[in-house]
Amino acid sequence: SLFKIIVAAAGLQAQVITPFDRLSCPRQWMFGGRPYHNWEDHDRGALTVHEALQFYCNTFFYQLGLKLGPEKIVQMAEAFGLGAPDMPALLAGARCPVVLAAGENDPMSRPEQLRALDPDAVTLAGLGHNAHVEDPPAVRVLLERFGV
């Protein structure tokens, strides 16, 4: 995920971690009485930042994020340009046709937000933020409609 890179950069810049420091990469990490998991179902031991990025270790970055605090993460995310991109300008500058689509239950990209940018935006019924994982055939049909 993109945020792993942002958290890594924030940690290195704030000197909360060095390239040589190691944090654990357990298959599950508890915080606030709730379990948080890695995509893999096994413990990778202690990893450096580079290794944690290489192995997509969610639990490493949860720990690093906790050490950093939200302010430093937000500052780095803004430095990377995340937040409020000028979507109309991005769409106008696209060099190829753009199809906006979102899952009906996607909390990060609501269908009504996409329709405000493009009245022909597609809503994928019953799907959420990870529509491509939840129902790959629905996404394939959408892509085929546009010759992809």
Side-chain angles (χ1 to χ4, degrees):
S1 115
L2 172 66
F3 248 81
K4 288 181 181 75
I5 296 168
I6 291 169
V7 172
L12 292 166
Q13 182 178 30
Q15 297 180 346
V16 170
I17 195 166
T18 73
F20 309 103
D21 291 338
R22 293 180 175 274
L23 289 175
S24 65
C25 179
R27 71 174 191 83
Q28 177 180 295
W29 183 70
M30 296 294 291
F31 180 73
R34 181 176 173 214
Y36 292 86
H37 301 275
N38 274 328
W39 70 277
E40 292 181 299
D41 195 28
H42 67 272
D43 188 333
R44 284 209 170 261
L47 303 177
T48 64
V49 173
H50 179 262
E51 292 165 336
L53 288 167
Q54 179 182 354
F55 294 115
Y56 307 103
C57 182
N58 297 332
T59 54
F60 177 101
F61 291 101
Y62 299 151
Q63 294 170 76
L64 181 54
L66 187 62
K67 288 179 182 227
L68 274 167
E71 296 81 15
K72 288 185 174 89
I73 296 170
V74 168
Q75 288 170 351
M76 187 58 69
E78 289 171 347
F80 270 76
L82 274 71
D86 182 352
M87 290 304 297
L90 288 172
L91 292 170
R95 295 183 178 176
C96 62
V98 175
V99 177
L100 299 180
E104 177 181 25
N105 302 313
D106 185 343
M108 297 179 72
S109 189
R110 302 293 310 145
E112 57 271 14
Q113 293 171 316
L114 297 185
R115 281 194 299 280
L117 294 167
D118 179 1
D120 296 324
V122 177
T123 299
L124 299 168
L127 298 178
H129 181 66
N130 290 313
H132 63 290
V133 174
E134 296 170 35
D135 189 355
V139 176
R140 171 46 84 200
V141 168
L142 173 65
L143 294 172
E144 287 172 351
R145 280 181 33 201
F146 297 97
V148 178

